[in-house]
């Protein structure tokens, strides 16, 4: 069987998406966003920190919020301890009970969405409410950068540039590259209102709109995605501030990564395929409905298909190679591979299109680095990302699809 | 038209252009490969004719005068490898590939006949293996292995001359060779120093088809051979 016919449509669609995103990047709306100045407005902001067993990071997390470059009387922090059992409560009580700008709420574990709602209820005088996962830390200028997104009254929420906190391990370095790619895509898609998730590590919302649409919901363990899709459905805009940076901790083991991504991907599938399927392929929702969500599905299906095809071809080649080379000395077999003649270079449509799309992806990664002023070298991470990460991704894609198909629910951690 | 719609249409147009350019570039490269093979084939045909003519002119001359045949055979071998790769890329039914393959087969047959004449006239005793394969789906499960084993044996035993033929190729000269050698359509088929055998099991078993002392006495100074691998 010629597997090329299975792969070609996905390569073509992937290339189309890259070209489309590049054109959007070059368009005036995206250019305007890159040129947007830091706002001088200082509306009242309450940062909500939902915390469930976050003892190792909760103190530094809150301190990073208190150090934000923002008028002290305009910024408050509401920490909602969502029934932690690991000492988070004690750390909060010891350090922040009588803090003038920090409100600590202890509640019975009700999930992240209920903790967020509890925090929003407490922040009665805030115009904007921010959510910051307890394993994340913000840069000092992040709030001022993001405030300017709300100059447009139609904007209900804004996202930031997420980076991996001190990436050292190989898996962290690879995720860092992925996050930088995410910075580029979020920046570009925000200019056409194509964002479908307002990530937990530091997103800002208009409090009145959040309350108007009914507050946070469970959202299949992806309350940030559910909220973003609901805001989109209600016709609001979701913006992005690429120079507002938040650092987040990421899984350091393959097992942890697969678990996290299974939650994200199955959340996407459940939210988009069931709760918000009306948005998909609906021209009323513009780029989000016609490009981002449909291609999100195709990326999952394509990722699984390409992986399966790659595995099947690899096994076929291995078996064939073993069959052919059986009995022939290894020294001879290896010497055959070393000879080089341009005539034998296997240039194919698939290979060239693969190279073009890979170049496109690398280009977007560097765009993300540029628009967000992300420091550090990315090349080793890009190489590792290309060679290793894409072979891990299919595992959570397959697992997510299986979970959604069988209706299986998994715990958060 | 909105900016988004315009971007979407431009993106489609550019994507189609990129894909079209890539397809064109790959086809162009394939054409160049075929052209390269064609050039090589034409040159070899001239060389073969030259050697044959030289041989005819110098019927009684010292055999050293026709030693060009050695390098010629090496080039025929290289052509065979390249043709095999081109056949894999463009398909066994590609008209250009079939035409090149016919010419290549003719070259091989002529080289084979020349080898026979040289061995008689010059008292050279090359070991010659004719290998017949089939590209018909399912008709030859062991042809790939046989082809690789022959390549290995040829490269490690330069005295061995290998000629590979697509049994089903529609070429009169090949049909005549098949009839002369009495080769049945059972694949892979071999005629080694005039002895017919069929099938391929292991390399060690296959070696038994060769003269007893062949692998013990082979030197690196002898003539080259040709091999075309079956797809």
């Amino acid at each position: 069987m010629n597997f090329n016919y299975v792969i070609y449509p996905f390569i073509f669609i992937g290339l189309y998406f890259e070209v489309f995103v590049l054109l959007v990047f070059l368009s005036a709306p995206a250019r305007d966003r890159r040129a947007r100045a830091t706002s001088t407005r200082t509306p009242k902001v309450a940062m909500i920190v939902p915390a469930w067993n976050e003892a190792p990071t909760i103190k530094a997390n809150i301190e990073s919020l208190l150090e934000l470059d923002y008028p002290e009387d305009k910024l408050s922090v509401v920490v909602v301890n969502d029934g932690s059992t690991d000492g988070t409560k004690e750390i909060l009580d010891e350090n922040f009970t009588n803090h003038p700008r920090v409100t600590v709420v202890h509640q019975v574990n009700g999930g992240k969405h209920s903790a967020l709602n509890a925090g929003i209820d407490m922040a009665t005088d805030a115009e904007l409410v921010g959510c910051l996962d307890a394993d994340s830390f913000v840069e000092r200028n992040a709030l001022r950068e993001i405030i300017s997104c709300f100059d447009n009254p139609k904007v209900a929420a804004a996202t930031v540039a997420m980076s991996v906190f001190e990436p050292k391990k190989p898996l962290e370095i690879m995720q860092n590259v992925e996050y930088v790619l995410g910075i580029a895509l979020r920046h570009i898609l925000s200019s056409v209102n194509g964002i479908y998730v307002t990530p937990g590590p530091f997103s800002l919302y208009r409090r009145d709109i959040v309350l108007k649409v009914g507050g946070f919901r469970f959202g299949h363990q992806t309350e940030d995605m559910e909220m973003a899709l609901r805001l989109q459905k209600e016709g609001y805009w979701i913006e992005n501030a690429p120079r507002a940076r938040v650092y987040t901790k990421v899984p350091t083991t393959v097992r942890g990564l697969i678990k996290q991504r299974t939650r994200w991907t199955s959340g996407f599938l459940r939210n988009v395929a069931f709760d918000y399927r009306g948005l998909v392929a609906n021209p009323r929702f513009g780029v989000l409905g016609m490009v981002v969500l449909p291609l999100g599905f195709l990326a999952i299906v394509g990722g699984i298909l390409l992986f399966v095809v790659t595995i099947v071809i690899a096994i076929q080649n291995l078996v064939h190679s073993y069959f052919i080379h059986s009995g022939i000395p290894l020294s001879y077999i290896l010497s055959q591979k070393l000879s080089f003649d341009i005539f034998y270079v296997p240039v194919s449509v698939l290979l060239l299109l693969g190279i073009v799309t890979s170049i496109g992806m690398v280009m977007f990664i560097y765009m993300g680095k540029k628009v967000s002023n992300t420091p550090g070298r990315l090349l080793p991470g890009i190489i590792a990302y290309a060679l290793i990460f894409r072979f891990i991704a299919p595992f959570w894609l397959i697992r997510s699809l299986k979970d959604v198909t069988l209706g299986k629910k998994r715990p958060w951690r | 038209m909105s900016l988004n719609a315009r971007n979407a249409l431009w993106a489609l147009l550019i994507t189609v252009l990129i894909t079209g350019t890539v397809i064109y570039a790959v086809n162009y490269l394939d054409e160049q490969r075929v052209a390269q093979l064609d050039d090589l084939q034409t040159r070899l045909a001239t060389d073969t004719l030259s050697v044959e003519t030289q041989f005819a002119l110098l019927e009684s001359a010292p055999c050293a005068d026709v030693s060009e045949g050695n390098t010629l055979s090496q080039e025929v071998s290289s052509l065979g490898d390249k043709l095999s790769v081109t056949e894999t890329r463009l398909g066994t039914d590609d008209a250009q590939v079939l035409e090149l393959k016919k010419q290549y087969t003719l070259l091989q047959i002529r080289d084979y006949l020349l080898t026979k004449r040289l061995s008689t006239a010059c008292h050279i005793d090359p070991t010659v293996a004719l290998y017949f394969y089939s590209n018909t789906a399912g008709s030859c499960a062991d042809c790939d292995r046989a082809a690789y084993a022959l390549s290995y044996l040829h490269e490690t035993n330069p005295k061995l001359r290998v000629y590979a033929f697509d049994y089903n190729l529609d070429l009169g000269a090949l049909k005549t060779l098949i009839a002369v050698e009495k080769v049945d359509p059972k694949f892979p088929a071999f005629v080694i120093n005039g002895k017919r055998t069929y099938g391929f099991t292991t390399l060690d078993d296959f070696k038994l088809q060769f003269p007893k002392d062949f692998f013990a006495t082979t030197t690196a100074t002898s003539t080259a051979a040709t091999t075309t691998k079956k797809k």
Side-chain angles (χ1 to χ4, degrees), chain A residues 328-339:
Chain A
I328 308 287
L330 189 63
S331 56
Y332 174 77
I333 297 166
L334 293 177
S335 72
Q336 297 299 292
K337 307 288 180 198
L338 294 175
S339 59

Side-chain angles (χ1 to χ4, degrees), chain A residues 12 72 149 183 210 289 312 380 407:
Chain A
F12 183 86
E72 286 193 7
C149 293
I183 290 172
V210 171
V312 169

Side-chain angles (χ1 to χ4, degrees), chain A residues 16 320 323-324 343 345 347, chain B residues 4 7-8 33 89 144-145:
Chain A
Y16 173 80
H320 185 69
F323 181 71
I324 298 285
F343 188 93
V345 177
V347 179
Chain B
N4 288 342
N7 279 337
R33 280 196 178 97
R89 291 187 57 78
D144 283 346
R145 291 174 65 204

Side-chain angles (χ1 to χ4, degrees), chain B residues 151-170:
Chain B
S151 292
Y152 163 68
L153 290 178
H154 161 60
E155 288 191 29
T156 51
N157 304 278
K159 204 174 176 181
L160 171 64
R161 304 178 77 110
V162 180
Y163 300 95
F165 301 102
D166 180 350
Y167 191 91
N168 300 311
L169 194 67
D170 187 17

Side-chain angles (χ1 to χ4, degrees), chain A residues 12 15-16 19-20 23 27 29 192 287 320 323-325 327 329 332-333 336 341 343-345 347-349 352, chain B residues 3-4 7-8 10-12 15 19 22 26 33 36 81-82 85-86 89 141-142 144-145 148 151-152 155 203:
Chain A
F12 183 86
L15 182 61
Y16 173 80
V19 175
F20 176 75
L23 289 177
S27 300
V192 287
V287 172
H320 185 69
F323 181 71
I324 298 285
H325 297 136
Y332 174 77
I333 297 166
Q336 297 299 292
D341 183 337
F343 188 93
Y344 298 109
V345 177
V347 179
S348 67
V349 173
L352 289 186
Chain B
L3 180 63
N4 288 342
N7 279 337
W10 271 110
L12 185 62
T15 307
T19 309
V22 164
V26 170
R33 280 196 178 97
Q36 195 183 332
D81 289 342
K82 288 181 174 174
V85 170
T86 310
R89 291 187 57 78
D142 293 322
D144 283 346
R145 291 174 65 204
Y148 193 77
S151 292
Y152 163 68
E155 288 191 29
L203 181 65

Side-chain angles (χ1 to χ4, degrees), chain B residues 6-55:
Chain B
R6 210 161 55 227
N7 279 337
L9 283 177
W10 271 110
L12 185 62
L13 183 69
I14 294 169
T15 307
V16 169
L17 272 176
I18 293 172
T19 309
T21 307
V22 164
I23 292 170
Y24 175 81
V26 170
N27 281 340
Y28 178 78
L29 284 173
D30 283 338
E31 290 294 323
Q32 291 298 105
R33 280 196 178 97
V34 171
Q36 195 183 332
L37 281 183
D38 207 26
D39 285 350
L40 186 57
Q41 199 124 271
T42 306
R43 191 159 50 81
L44 286 179
T46 310
D47 289 350
T48 309
L49 194 59
S50 169
V51 173
E52 283 174 347
T53 310
Q54 200 179 0
F55 191 85

